């Protein structure tokens, strides 16, 4: 069984619709898939019934939060997508995203970037507005040659467009996931570029708040990073999850199902479902 428990659709910043994503994942040998869009469950309303039969779909979401000034993502898996507490939380995150987008646009305006809010809003369509939509605007007006460059210059860590405040707290987002009978998973721990000491403090707080698993494998990852995360999962008594963080087929390092298996000594997150 190949589980890919972290992917994105057009309901957030991915480029495939939910149905296209399911077909694409199936074509890549995935047996169980979680669509984990940023702060939205809209992908689940977009899945047509005939599609959901061929592949096991694990209902999921990726929630944005901050911890000690770091932008952190928490994946909720095997959630009840109709739970009122979770839906209320998502509504709150949606407003936070709009306010944050206004702030990002103001900061870009000061750098001479015009119309960023309206343009990013239009690019996002019905999806919650995020930095990738601002990146597309910057590319379309010729201020960055591609998304990568837009993040490097304007939107990435420490740049003016990296607005981190406004999200619900770590305990809050974990609470929403648990209220929906889901498993809270710390997403892509290596992406935060923390020392092991700092990551340990985060994992301690995460566990104390009810977090139960962490992504030990996230897309294409160096073996020494996987080994380190596997050790942390064991040390903190957390189950292990894995996912590609797939957004777009051009990103060949994060195609559905294309990552190394979880180290066999760990407890996979799906064991408890
Ligand atoms: P946001 O939800 O607005 O904070 O945007 C976060 C998303 O931006 C991530 O989920 C990625 O899809 C994308 N992203 C973050 N950093 C980069 C980067 N350096 N290059 C390209 N995309 C990025
Ligand atoms: Mn994303
Ligand atoms: Mn993420
Ligand atoms: Mn993601």
């Amino acid at each position: 069984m190949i589980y890919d428990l972290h992917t994105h659709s057009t309901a957030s910043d991915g480029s495939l619709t939910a149905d296209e994503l399911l077909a694409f994942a199936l074509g890549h040998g995935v047996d169980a898939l979680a669509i984990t869009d940023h702060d939205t469950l809209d992908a689940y309303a977009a899945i047509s019934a005939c599609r959901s039969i061929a592949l096991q779909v694990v209902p999921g979401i990726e929630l944005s939060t901050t911890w000690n000034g770091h932008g952190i993502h928490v994946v909720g898996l095997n959630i009840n997508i109709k739970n009122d507490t979770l839906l209320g939380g998502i509504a709150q995150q949606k407003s936070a995203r709009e306010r944050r987008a206004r702030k990002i646009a103001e900061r870009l305006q000061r750098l001479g970037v015009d119309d960023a809010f309206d343009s990013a809003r239009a690019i996002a369509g019905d999806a919650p507005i995020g930095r990738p939509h601002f990146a597309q605007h910057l590319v379309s007006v010729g201020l960055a040659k591609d998304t990568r460059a837009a993040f490097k210059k304007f939107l990435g860590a420490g740049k003016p467009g990296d607005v981190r405040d406004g999200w619900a707290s770590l305990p809050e987002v974990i609470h929403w996931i648990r209220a929906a009978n889901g498993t809270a998973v710390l997403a892509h721990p290596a992406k935060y570029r923390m020392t092991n000491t700092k990551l340990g403090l985060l994992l301690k707080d995460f566990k104390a708040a009810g977090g139960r698993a962490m992504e030990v494998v996230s897309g294409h990852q160096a073996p020494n990073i996987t080994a380190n995360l596997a050790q942390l999962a064991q040390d903190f008594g957390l189950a292990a999850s894995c996912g590609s963080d797939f957004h777009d087929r051009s990103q060949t390092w994060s195609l559905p199902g294309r990552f190394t298996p979880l180290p066999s000594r760990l407890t996979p997150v799906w064991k408890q479902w």
Side-chain angles (χ1 to χ4, degrees):
M1 273 289 273
I2 294 183
Y3 285 82
D4 189 335
L5 300 175
H6 188 149
T7 63
H8 296 271
S9 79
T10 49
S12 65
D13 56 356
S15 63
L16 301 183
T17 65
D19 277 345
E20 286 166 351
L21 174 57
L22 294 180
F24 193 64
L26 201 57
H28 280 71
V30 174
D31 299 294
L33 183 84
I35 305 178
T36 53
D37 280 310
H38 299 286
D39 303 296
T40 178
L41 289 169
D42 287 352
Y44 292 94
I47 296 175
S48 56
C50 58
R51 280 273 195 237
S52 57
I53 296 162
L55 181 111
Q56 188 186 327
V57 176
V58 179
I61 190 164
E62 182 173 17
L63 295 168
S64 311
T65 183
T66 46
W67 175 84
N68 283 356
H70 294 269
I72 299 293
H73 289 171
V74 178
V75 165
L77 294 176
N78 204 27
I79 46 174
N80 169 9
I81 59 173
K82 298 202 168 124
N83 177 266
D84 284 335
T85 302
L86 177 60
L87 293 174
I90 291 168
Q92 190 182 313
Q93 295 282 89
K94 193 175 177 183
S95 321
R97 262 190 189 277
E98 291 293 318
R99 281 195 299 274
R100 171 184 184 250
R102 297 263 177 211
K103 228 179 209 177
I104 292 173
E106 278 168 28
R107 290 187 180 188
L108 291 177
Q109 180 69 66
R110 273 183 243 139
L111 299 173
V113 183
D114 297 326
D115 300 325
F117 182 84
D118 288 342
S119 176
R121 183 68 265 159
I123 290 164
D126 291 331
I129 188 167
R131 285 178 289 164
H133 307 113
F134 283 99
Q136 281 186 51
H137 171 66
L138 290 161
V139 173
S140 72
V141 296
L143 287 166
K145 77 170 188 326
D146 54 20
T147 299
R148 208 185 134 89
F151 269 88
K152 200 166 176 198
K153 193 164 173 205
F154 296 99
L155 302 162
K159 300 298 169 193
D162 176 29
V163 178
R164 295 177 193 171
D165 50 290
W167 303 120
S169 68
L170 180 66
E172 257 179 303
V173 302
I174 293 171
H175 168 70
W176 300 338
I177 293 165
R178 286 168 65 94
N181 291 318
T183 307
V185 183
L186 183 69
H188 44 60
K191 271 202 192 154
Y192 309 132
R193 302 191 174 283
M194 292 177 182
T195 60
N196 256 9
T197 308
K198 191 112 182 231
L199 196 50
L201 292 173
L202 168 59
L203 288 169
K204 186 167 166 271
D205 285 356
F206 176 74
K207 190 161 183 188
R212 288 291 172 262
M214 60 184 269
E215 287 181 352
V216 170
V217 174
S218 173
H220 178 75
Q221 194 171 276
N224 63 315
I225 291 181
T226 306
N228 183 48
L229 295 177
Q231 189 60 49
L232 285 166
Q234 277 197 309
D235 291 349
F236 284 87
L238 293 166
S241 187
C242 54
S244 57
D245 206 359
F246 172 79
H247 285 75
D248 183 90
R249 36 176 118 210
S250 70
Q251 297 170 345
T252 52
W253 58 91
S254 64
L255 292 171
R258 294 291 158 83
F259 42 79
T260 55
L262 286 173
S264 58
R265 68 179 194 277
L266 301 179
T267 307
V269 65
W270 53 85
K271 258 274 161 60
Q272 54 188 298
W273 298 338

